[in-house]
Amino acid sequence: MQISMYRASVPVFTRALRNLAGILRKGEAFATARKIEPAVLLNYRLAPDMFALTRQVQIATDVAKGCVSRLAGVDAPVFADDETTFMQLLGRIDRCVDYLETFRPEQVDGTELKSVTLKMRSGELHFEGLPYLLEFATPNVYFHCATVYAILRHCGVQIGKTDFLGPA
Amino acid sequence: MQISMYRASVPVFTRALRNLAGILRKGEAFATARKIEPAVLLNYRLAPDMFALTRQVQIATDVAKGCVSRLAGVDAPVFADDETTFMQLLGRIDRCVDYLETFRPEQVDGTELKSVTLKMRSGELHFEGLPYLLEFATPNVYFHCATVYAILRHCGVQIGKTDFLGPA
């Protein structure tokens, strides 16, 4: 298989999100085993002005579905940011993965030069499809997944890099 | 420009590493301003059995140069893991970026099916070039860069996601 915009997005994001779900399941099991209120982990953050774990998961899924949707030229479904349990976060990840898997390669391939505009609080960001995928969306997804990992690792959950990367 | 194995590796890794260097420079400035011994930050870790900041930088650079070298079929230079200062870590990143920039697209493009073997402590890992790049090396580089970010953020360094992603 040749590398393509589809191959570098949908399978990459679904894999990252499935690995994130595995990390969350280990976090949930840790909370149960240690009799820690799950909300303590879900609201944990590494610095007072950093997003808590729940928000990290929300953003990781939003970036992934937003990226593929923009490349394909369709509107991404909006997920209510109302998760308060591990199960609800896992459900959000499932819904995101299911959505990503509805895309066919021909919807995403060939979008290297496609004009992509993001509305941010600070103004608009303009990209071409290729740098948007490789240099904005992909590191963004990994950033939030790695932050979830770091939060749970810091809290004592026994996870390793293989949980983040997935099986070889 | 079409997506290619080269475009998804060399420019992506050099960008990630340059952003990592920027994060480290902010860490160094923070140590100076706050009169914190730099080694405290360099040896900081988020959990007792997790690698410290210095090792995270070493691994990020090793994964990046190892990946492009394996795809191109050349031996990567070995860097002595002897950095004890921010300046030395920044020098290591510079050497890695300089090395990555010696590759020409034709050395890396078309390596989607190339057989790649990694010798790990736990045994050998076998990949084809495409999943090796997209699902092992790339998340691995981002994982270690994000961990450096998380360590410094946790220590109070004023950095934001834009430092990790770089300018749009």
Side-chain angles (χ1 to χ4, degrees):
Chain A
M1 173 182 276
Q2 272 219 316
I3 194 168
S4 71
M5 292 293 283
Y6 175 85
R7 181 62 186 82
S9 57
V10 172
V12 166
F13 292 155
T14 55
R15 181 181 172 93
L17 293 173
R18 286 194 171 104
N19 295 339
L20 177 63
I23 289 167
L24 290 177
R25 280 190 292 268
K26 290 196 178 182
E28 186 180 27
F30 172 85
T32 303
R34 300 280 290 272
K35 299 188 172 35
I36 295 167
E37 183 61 43
V40 173
L41 299 183
L42 296 172
N43 293 318
Y44 208 91
R45 51 190 96 210
L46 292 173
D49 59 346
M50 194 168 167
F51 285 131
L53 186 150
T54 294
R55 188 85 194 105
Q56 304 287 345
V57 176
Q58 290 167 346
I59 300 175
T61 47
D62 283 351
V63 173
K65 67 183 167 62
C67 173
V68 177
S69 301
R70 286 186 187 96
L71 291 175
V74 302
D75 289 329
V78 177
F79 292 172
D81 294 328
D82 59 359
E83 295 87 359
T84 59
T85 66
F86 277 103
M87 192 187 294
Q88 288 168 356
L89 285 179
L90 291 167
R92 183 187 181 107
I93 292 173
D94 278 347
R95 289 202 306 284
C96 187
V97 168
D98 287 348
Y99 171 69
L100 292 173
E101 291 189 333
T102 63
F103 287 89
R104 299 179 309 279
E106 58 267 32
Q107 291 178 272
V108 180
D109 282 343
T111 56
E112 282 90 342
L113 298 176
K114 181 160 187 162
S115 176
V116 172
T117 300
L118 291 187
K119 291 185 175 60
M120 316 292 280
R121 279 172 301 177
S122 51
E124 288 190 348
L125 290 180
H126 300 277
F127 295 93
E128 288 184 346
L130 176 61
Y132 169 60
L133 171 60
L134 293 184
E135 291 159 5
F136 183 84
T138 305
N140 217 324
V141 169
Y142 285 131
F143 176 84
H144 291 286
C145 292
T147 303
V148 169
Y149 176 98
I151 290 171
L152 291 177
R153 191 79 166 74
H154 181 65
C155 288
V157 180
Q158 297 229 335
I159 43 180
K161 190 166 67 174
T162 305
D163 293 296
F164 179 84
L165 295 177
Chain B
M1 172 182 277
Q2 272 219 314
I3 194 168
S4 71
M5 292 292 284
Y6 175 85
R7 180 62 186 84
S9 58
V10 172
V12 166
F13 292 155
T14 55
R15 181 181 171 93
L17 293 173
R18 286 194 172 104
N19 294 339
L20 177 64
I23 288 167
L24 290 176
R25 281 191 292 270
K26 290 197 176 180
E28 186 180 27
F30 171 84
T32 303
R34 299 280 290 270
K35 297 188 173 38
I36 294 168
E37 183 62 43
V40 173
L41 298 182
L42 296 172
N43 293 318
Y44 208 92
R45 51 189 95 211
L46 291 174
D49 59 346
M50 196 167 167
F51 286 130
L53 187 150
T54 294
R55 188 85 195 104
Q56 304 287 347
V57 176
Q58 291 167 344
I59 300 175
T61 47
D62 283 351
V63 173
K65 66 183 168 62
C67 173
V68 177
S69 301
R70 286 187 187 96
L71 291 176
V74 302
D75 289 329
V78 176
F79 292 171
D81 294 327
D82 58 359
E83 296 87 359
T84 59
T85 66
F86 277 102
M87 192 186 295
Q88 289 168 355
L89 285 179
L90 291 167
R92 181 188 183 107
I93 292 173
D94 278 347
R95 290 202 306 285
C96 186
V97 168
D98 287 348
Y99 171 69
L100 291 173
E101 291 188 333
T102 64
F103 288 90
R104 300 179 309 280
E106 57 268 31
Q107 291 178 273
V108 180
D109 282 343
T111 57
E112 281 91 341
L113 298 176
K114 183 159 186 162
S115 176
V116 172
T117 299
L118 292 186
K119 291 186 175 62
M120 316 293 280
R121 280 171 299 178
S122 51
E124 288 190 348
L125 290 180
H126 299 278
F127 295 93
E128 288 184 346
L130 176 61
Y132 169 60
L133 171 60
L134 293 185
E135 292 159 6
F136 183 84
T138 305
N140 218 325
V141 169
Y142 285 131
F143 177 84
H144 291 286
C145 292
T147 303
V148 170
Y149 175 97
I151 290 171
L152 291 177
R153 191 80 165 73
H154 181 65
C155 288
V157 180
Q158 297 230 335
I159 43 181
K161 190 164 68 174
T162 305
D163 293 297
F164 179 84
L165 295 178

